[in-house]
Amino acid sequence: MPFLFLALLGGVACAGRPETSERISPAATTGPGATVPSIPTLYPTSTGIVPQQPTTAVGETRTPFPPTATPVDLKQAVVRAHLQIPAIGLNRQLSGGIGGSLTVEDLTTGARVVSANRGRALAEITGAFSSLSLAPIPDGCDRCASFSYQLPADGVSASGWLQDSILLASLDFFFTQEIGPHFPPETVIGLHREPSGYTIGQTIAVLADGTLWRWLAPDAEIDPADQVSQEVLDQVDRLPFRFWEDAYLADCPFYPVETLLLVTTTERRTLRLKCPALALPITLVPFYRQVANLSAPLLADPRNLPFPEEALPLDGLVFYQRADGASLLLREDGRAEAEVGVNERRVGQEDPTVVAELAEALASSGVMPRGVQLSVSPGPADYEELLLVRGRLGVYELPWSDRVGQGLLAEVVTLENMLFNLVGPPRPAPTAPTQ
């Protein structure tokens, strides 16, 4: 199976859908796509070659033959494919026509997207399927990936157990970009991570009866279901939905986009997340941390890479870095962790109430802008001191040089004193060696 298929599906999906598209999606939503130039159709209507006029000898008369062009049915199918995992209710299919139209459907939810000018994608999909081999599905395996496809023009069709991990991952990503991630019926809590520089595609889903499903996109057979406690289910109806926005995104390089689904007796919310530690508000962190713990076995798969340690972890409320590079992290339980130099760390304890009040004062000061940008940007920093704070609306970031403004002076002095108590006064910058 050519790797180009994976790259193409990812490239087409990330670029957004073409302008001309019909969307019928009653039970799934996706983010807006960027407008891209039209992709050439699978079969061009012109070769670009100018035909030569027939030559006629002097005195010779010829009667031209009438044209015999046959109309082409642009809706004629060139590919059909159907992917199912019965245990989790996954039942999705795609079909493409000779004119480059592509239809993607979720037969479980009824979501459906029709888009035009997808000939390039269809040509690559067709090429991938033409050399695909499928094994017989083991008897009674409702956790196995059942796949069927047809290439009508070539008279090729097959069905069976799809075990190609690259194709499975490609199809999962493609379907997710077109009609959203799959969650089984009766899902109350769902978390999906897209493939990224650190992760392969992965999903967890907690059903209304406490059933817990975990699966990885490249797997031909998903793991058996587990069970969660009733306490996990009960807290969903107590979540402060009205305080939450639809997206919390920090542009950390190579991090996956995550989809968090929450369903109560009266509401269904879908949140888009990226780099949660540097984006989530205080009110969402405890619940997200619990859901993330349910997905820990997926993250532990050796095909993933560990996420790097962020300056402000999920349980962090305040991060302060002074001009000499020494830093202070205040956690929600009052722990104070200071770093200075290489592998030199000091740990102390502050009153958790004092830490929470300090974070609230900083976040509500009206001085710090919400959103983390500079501290996750590549390249050298053009600031001397940095402050990150988690508040009720998200994470706030403020870099500065020389002196901080009066609006934050009292709180920054408090942080400087805490850091001083752990590592001492600022250390002088190293002097350049003399020649």
Side-chain angles (χ1 to χ4, degrees), residues 29 33 42 74 194 274:
T29 59
L42 190 59
L74 297 180
E194 293 184 359
K274 185 175 182 182

Side-chain angles (χ1 to χ4, degrees), residues 13-26:
C14 289
R17 299 184 185 86
E19 278 187 280
T20 54
S21 64
E22 171 196 351
R23 174 181 291 273
I24 307 172
S25 183

Side-chain angles (χ1 to χ4, degrees), residues 5 9 17 24 77 79-85 89-97 101-115 118 122 125 129 146-150 162 170-180 182:
F5 180 40
L9 289 184
R17 299 184 185 86
I24 307 172
V79 61
R80 299 188 186 96
H82 189 187
L83 178 64
Q84 293 179 278
I85 303 180
L90 177 67
N91 191 4
R92 295 183 160 190
Q93 69 179 16
L94 65 85
S95 60
S101 65
L102 176 65
T103 301
V104 181
E105 299 178 88
D106 188 319
L107 302 182
T108 299
T109 66
R112 180 172 178 261
V113 172
V114 181
S115 55
R118 304 298 290 275
L122 290 172
I125 292 171
F129 292 168
S146 172
F147 187 66
S148 63
Y149 69 94
Q150 297 175 328
L162 179 57
S170 299
L171 288 169
D172 177 82
F173 184 64
F174 182 75
F175 281 127
T176 296
Q177 294 299 302
E178 295 292 325
I179 52 178
H182 170 73

Side-chain angles (χ1 to χ4, degrees), residues 48-89:
I49 301 175
V50 179
Q52 298 294 325
Q53 296 297 325
T55 58
T56 303
V58 177
E60 181 181 0
T61 301
R62 292 188 178 183
T63 302
F65 291 101
T68 58
T70 302
V72 177
D73 182 5
L74 297 180
K75 295 183 180 180
Q76 180 181 345
V78 295
V79 61
R80 299 188 186 96
H82 189 187
L83 178 64
Q84 293 179 278
I85 303 180
I88 57 174

Side-chain angles (χ1 to χ4, degrees), residues 325-337:
S327 64
L328 173 69
L329 170 64
L330 299 178
R331 298 181 184 267
E332 60 187 15
D333 61 1
R335 279 182 297 163
E337 300 175 5

Side-chain angles (χ1 to χ4, degrees), residues 43-399:
Y43 295 102
T45 58
S46 173
T47 62
I49 301 175
V50 179
Q52 298 294 325
Q53 296 297 325
T55 58
T56 303
V58 177
E60 181 181 0
T61 301
R62 292 188 178 183
T63 302
F65 291 101
T68 58
T70 302
V72 177
D73 182 5
L74 297 180
K75 295 183 180 180
Q76 180 181 345
V78 295
V79 61
R80 299 188 186 96
H82 189 187
L83 178 64
Q84 293 179 278
I85 303 180
I88 57 174
L90 177 67
N91 191 4
R92 295 183 160 190
Q93 69 179 16
L94 65 85
S95 60
I98 195 173
S101 65
L102 176 65
T103 301
V104 181
E105 299 178 88
D106 188 319
L107 302 182
T108 299
T109 66
R112 180 172 178 261
V113 172
V114 181
S115 55
N117 298 324
R118 304 298 290 275
R120 188 177 301 172
L122 290 172
E124 188 65 31
I125 292 171
T126 302
F129 292 168
S130 63
S131 58
L132 180 64
S133 61
L134 300 171
I137 300 176
D139 291 339
C141 186
D142 64 348
R143 293 180 287 107
C144 293
S146 172
F147 187 66
S148 63
Y149 69 94
Q150 297 175 328
L151 304 177
D154 299 330
V156 175
S157 64
S159 63
W161 186 11
L162 179 57
Q163 296 175 290
D164 188 312
S165 60
I166 294 179
L167 182 54
L168 278 164
S170 299
L171 288 169
D172 177 82
F173 184 64
F174 182 75
F175 281 127
T176 296
Q177 294 299 302
E178 295 292 325
I179 52 178
H182 170 73
F183 296 107
E186 305 300 322
T187 295
V188 175
I189 304 168
L191 180 66
H192 172 80
R193 292 189 183 97
E194 293 184 359
S196 70
Y198 295 105
T199 56
I200 55 179
Q202 52 194 261
T203 309
I204 70 163
V206 179
L207 308 190
D209 62 359
T211 300
L212 169 62
W213 287 105
R214 302 182 182 98
W215 70 92
L216 294 160
D219 288 352
E221 180 180 358
I222 67 174
D223 290 337
D226 206 338
Q227 196 75 18
V228 301
S229 66
Q230 185 63 37
E231 180 183 355
V232 175
L233 298 172
D234 291 341
Q235 64 179 310
V236 176
D237 282 315
R238 301 193 299 267
L239 294 173
F241 287 92
R242 65 185 183 278
F243 296 119
W244 294 345
E245 300 174 3
D246 292 334
Y248 294 98
L249 309 170
D251 196 17
C252 302
F254 310 115
Y255 270 66
V257 173
E258 305 181 17
T259 300
L260 177 63
L261 172 67
L262 301 169
V263 181
T264 70
T265 54
T266 60
E267 192 169 2
R268 180 187 181 95
R269 286 293 300 275
T270 300
L271 310 180
R272 294 180 66 246
L273 317 173
K274 185 175 182 182
C275 197
L278 295 182
L280 295 188
I282 291 175
T283 56
L284 181 52
V285 164
F287 181 73
Y288 174 82
R289 194 162 49 205
Q290 188 172 15
V291 175
N293 287 338
L294 296 177
S295 71
L298 300 181
L299 288 174
D301 188 279
R303 289 170 290 185
N304 295 307
L305 295 175
F307 293 119
E309 185 177 350
E310 300 297 342
L312 189 71
L314 272 173
D315 65 344
L317 294 182
V318 181
F319 172 84
Y320 167 63
Q321 179 181 299
R322 71 187 182 190
D324 68 338
S327 64
L328 173 69
L329 170 64
L330 299 178
R331 298 181 184 267
E332 60 187 15
D333 61 1
R335 279 182 297 163
E337 300 175 5
E339 289 191 8
V340 57
V342 180
N343 298 324
E344 190 176 345
R345 176 175 294 188
R346 313 282 175 80
V347 179
Q349 182 67 38
E350 300 288 344
D351 185 338
T353 302
V354 171
V355 171
E357 291 175 349
L358 178 60
E360 175 65 20
L362 290 165
S364 61
S365 65
V367 177
M368 298 187 64
R370 181 158 63 108
V372 176
Q373 296 180 354
L374 293 177
S375 56
V376 297
S377 299
D382 57 356
Y383 53 85
E384 294 181 352
E385 299 184 65
L386 176 67
L387 188 58
L388 298 172
V389 179
R390 192 180 311 280
R392 296 180 182 274
L393 298 180
V395 178
Y396 299 75
E397 175 191 61
L398 181 67

